[in-house]
Amino acid sequence: MRRVFAATFLSLAISVSTSALAQNLSVLDEQPAVSTTDENGVDLLTGKIADYAFEVSIGNVADPAITAVVRRNPGSSAKSGTPFFGKITGVHCSDLTIATWCNHWRNVEFGSYSKWFWRDSYETPFKNEYGETYAVESGLHVVTLKDGTRVRFDPSKSPAPDNADPDYELGRLLDITKPNGEILSYAAWSTLADGSQRASYVRTNKGYAVRFRGAPHNDNRYLNLSQTYCTSDGSCDSTIEIARSTKTTATSALLDPKGAQATLGCTIVSSTDTVCSAVDRAGRPYQWTNRLFVHHFSPMHSFHYHAVISVTRGGQSTNYAYQFSWHERWGGEVASTTATYPNGETRTATRNSGITVKDGNGPETHTGLLYPAAPPEYKSGESEPSFIVYPEGNRLDYEYDSRRNLTLVKLTPKPGSGLAAIESSAAYPVTCDNIRTCNQPTYVLDAKGNRTDFEYSPVHGGVTVETLPAGANGVRPLKGYTHAPSSAGVHSASGVVVND
């Protein structure tokens, strides 16, 4: 992980976090992410709280096989982690005059991923603003993401079509195959009241799994399959598990591998407010209040938005006040947030042409946002920074190609410093003939003009040849890479290692 810049104002960091590109491509980083989350875990631009005391990850620390958020509550940003459910839907048209328009749209959802795909005609493929694609292959609905990840949805798991439902379901999440060969498979399907099916078992070929158990257990079991045997139908030897989470109507709890437990209970106290009380794994109590904000466009139309209005830790409270912008079609979003901390200091985050963060009456940090191009019927909530201007005038500028790949990072020093700007850049294929490789750089240039070139496997997208900058002798060294598939074995009930 490389950090280009981190500007800290009190305890809120607006940082440009940039992880190295695959296979140590550290000269130019991936697209930066701007964080407006404060020390309480509240994102000032969404009003949602991220509570890491209730997250569990199993597998490699740097790249966990499975990550889950144990609880759900109205004020939490709790859709992160491994998706345990996903679906793809179309738009049902009862009006034949707009049937052609409806047939050109698909909505894909799994975990925190939610995007619309469209096509210009029946002869062209479905795509989104990032160049990701959707198609039907061998009866399954397949989405190919920007990094080459393939996500498949099975139509046989969906409920029967309902003509009264404007959004009809086309398939449910079946498996996810990542470019590195990791596969998440969804199994042990049970039939629900509407005739649809839902998986109760997720496993990876890295040797980890999660089993979801309903009543009377109401828990999730996080398993290391090299120690715990689970058959393909989700039946598991219960003698060893990594962690367990439970959920009832009133409370949620997480028991981690060291025996520490975090608990959470949320209570509705009024028509608009819900109070959540928690104890983290270190035994420290805290609580927050979620409020439901409602905006009425007409007697028949309104939009709802949940946001955290207070957080109390150690007897000290922080309060959050919001201004919203409402759109008759897209609903509401936070336009600005003012947080007032226990010592009386304030912090404001405003969404305008970009993001402006200001501590009290002090200087501002402004980030310009660049939204991807999309049809007017579609509104993307995602954006990338186009620039960041810091309080003393130093700035970072970013440029992207048509598929939102970061192609240039320019650091301009403070005015009057006499220092020159520094640039790093990367080049990508102009057209995307192979999604496994087209969003990886063909070469990168660092701030000193040193060039590194890359070649990739068209099959899995991994680096096969890396040509390094020339040394003192003028020769450019070469590195070659080979890739081989691997799969974790598991212990059977009799202690034999098998590839179940």
Side-chain angles (χ1 to χ4, degrees), residues 216-474:
H217 307 286
N218 296 311
D219 65 12
N220 295 345
R221 299 178 58 206
Y222 302 85
L223 306 165
N224 182 342
L225 298 185
S226 64
Q227 302 177 47
T228 306
Y229 180 66
C230 295
T231 61
S232 57
D233 67 357
S235 301
C236 304
D237 172 15
S238 61
T239 57
I240 300 176
E241 63 185 35
I242 299 177
R244 176 179 294 195
S245 62
T246 60
K247 183 177 181 181
T248 65
T249 303
T251 61
S252 299
L254 171 64
L255 183 66
D256 72 14
K258 295 183 179 180
Q261 179 171 273
T263 59
L264 168 70
C266 294
T267 303
I268 297 175
V269 296
S270 71
S271 60
T272 60
D273 290 1
T274 300
V275 175
C276 295
S277 298
V279 178
D280 66 20
R281 279 173 273 184
R284 296 169 297 200
Y286 56 101
Q287 70 177 30
W288 64 88
T289 301
N290 306 314
R291 176 160 295 173
L292 172 62
F293 296 89
V294 181
H295 182 82
H296 294 277
F297 286 109
S298 71
M300 298 294 294
H301 296 90
S302 64
F303 285 98
H304 296 179
Y305 195 95
H306 290 275
V308 174
I309 61 169
S310 68
V311 177
T312 301
R313 295 178 183 270
Q316 301 291 312
S317 296
T318 301
N319 297 312
Y320 300 87
Y322 302 95
Q323 291 184 351
F324 293 91
S325 60
W326 300 95
H327 190 283
E328 189 169 0
R329 183 169 185 180
W330 307 119
E333 66 179 7
V334 175
S336 68
T337 303
T338 299
T340 303
Y341 295 89
N343 61 1
E345 294 178 344
T346 61
R347 192 169 308 142
T348 302
T350 304
R351 188 195 306 268
N352 36 48
S353 59
I355 300 171
T356 300
V357 177
K358 186 174 185 177
D359 282 297
N361 295 319
E364 297 179 342
T365 297
H366 182 69
T367 302
L369 296 181
L370 185 66
Y371 288 89
E377 298 88 352
Y378 176 80
K379 177 180 172 65
S380 172
E382 296 187 6
S383 61
E384 289 83 28
S386 58
F387 63 85
I388 300 177
V389 180
Y390 296 98
E392 294 183 347
N394 51 317
R395 62 182 290 156
L396 284 164
D397 289 89
Y398 306 94
E399 293 182 7
Y400 307 85
D401 66 10
S402 61
R403 297 188 302 276
R404 320 310 294 166
N405 294 307
L406 182 61
T407 58
L408 179 71
V409 177
K410 181 179 180 180
L411 172 61
T412 302
K414 302 173 186 178
S417 67
L419 300 175
I422 300 173
E423 294 185 0
S424 297
S425 62
Y428 296 81
V430 176
T431 59
C432 188
D433 300 321
N434 184 343
I435 199 166
R436 293 178 178 84
T437 59
C438 70
N439 293 310
Q440 301 196 70
T442 54
Y443 68 86
V444 294
L445 287 170
D446 67 14
K448 295 182 179 180
N450 297 315
R451 173 167 169 160
T452 304
D453 291 77
F454 304 94
E455 298 177 20
Y456 305 91
S457 165
V459 178
H460 53 72
V463 173
T464 56
V465 179
E466 180 179 0
T467 306
L468 301 174
N473 59 1

Side-chain angles (χ1 to χ4, degrees), residues 91-105 122 166:
V91 181
H92 178 73
C93 289
S94 57
D95 185 348
L96 294 180
T97 61
I98 60 171
T100 300
W101 179 88
C102 293
N103 288 330
H104 292 324
W105 290 85
Y122 286 102

Side-chain angles (χ1 to χ4, degrees), residues 146-161:
K146 183 177 177 180
D147 65 354
T149 296
R150 286 169 57 84
V151 187
R152 300 196 303 170
F153 299 81
D154 187 347
S156 70
K157 311 299 184 185
S158 294

Side-chain angles (χ1 to χ4, degrees), residues 88-266:
I88 185 168
T89 55
V91 181
H92 178 73
C93 289
S94 57
D95 185 348
L96 294 180
T97 61
I98 60 171
T100 300
W101 179 88
C102 293
N103 288 330
H104 292 324
W105 290 85
R106 297 290 185 267
N107 187 35
V108 178
E109 298 177 88
F110 58 95
S112 59
Y113 184 97
S114 179
K115 287 185 172 66
W116 282 97
F117 288 69
W118 65 86
R119 60 183 177 185
D120 299 323
S121 69
Y122 286 102
E123 290 74 29
T124 57
F126 284 90
K127 63 181 181 180
N128 64 18
E129 72 273 29
Y130 288 92
E132 298 171 334
T133 61
Y134 155 79
V136 178
E137 300 177 7
S138 302
L140 298 176
H141 299 268
V142 181
V143 174
T144 305
L145 305 184
K146 183 177 177 180
D147 65 354
T149 296
R150 286 169 57 84
V151 187
R152 300 196 303 170
F153 299 81
D154 187 347
S156 70
K157 311 299 184 185
S158 294
D162 181 359
N163 290 334
D165 187 351
D167 299 321
Y168 65 95
E169 192 172 305
L170 296 169
R172 293 204 168 172
L173 183 59
L174 181 64
D175 55 46
I176 300 174
T177 302
K178 299 181 181 180
N180 63 4
E182 180 184 354
I183 302 174
L184 277 74
S185 302
Y186 297 76
W189 296 86
S190 57
T191 302
L192 305 180
D194 62 358
S196 65
Q197 297 184 49
R198 191 178 186 106
S200 58
Y201 182 54
V202 180
R203 66 174 294 171
T204 80
N205 59 347
K206 284 188 174 183
Y208 299 93
V210 178
R211 185 185 180 197
F212 319 114
R213 300 195 304 174
H217 307 286
N218 296 311
D219 65 12
N220 295 345
R221 299 178 58 206
Y222 302 85
L223 306 165
N224 182 342
L225 298 185
S226 64
Q227 302 177 47
T228 306
Y229 180 66
C230 295
T231 61
S232 57
D233 67 357
S235 301
C236 304
D237 172 15
S238 61
T239 57
I240 300 176
E241 63 185 35
I242 299 177
R244 176 179 294 195
S245 62
T246 60
K247 183 177 181 181
T248 65
T249 303
T251 61
S252 299
L254 171 64
L255 183 66
D256 72 14
K258 295 183 179 180
Q261 179 171 273
T263 59
L264 168 70
C266 294

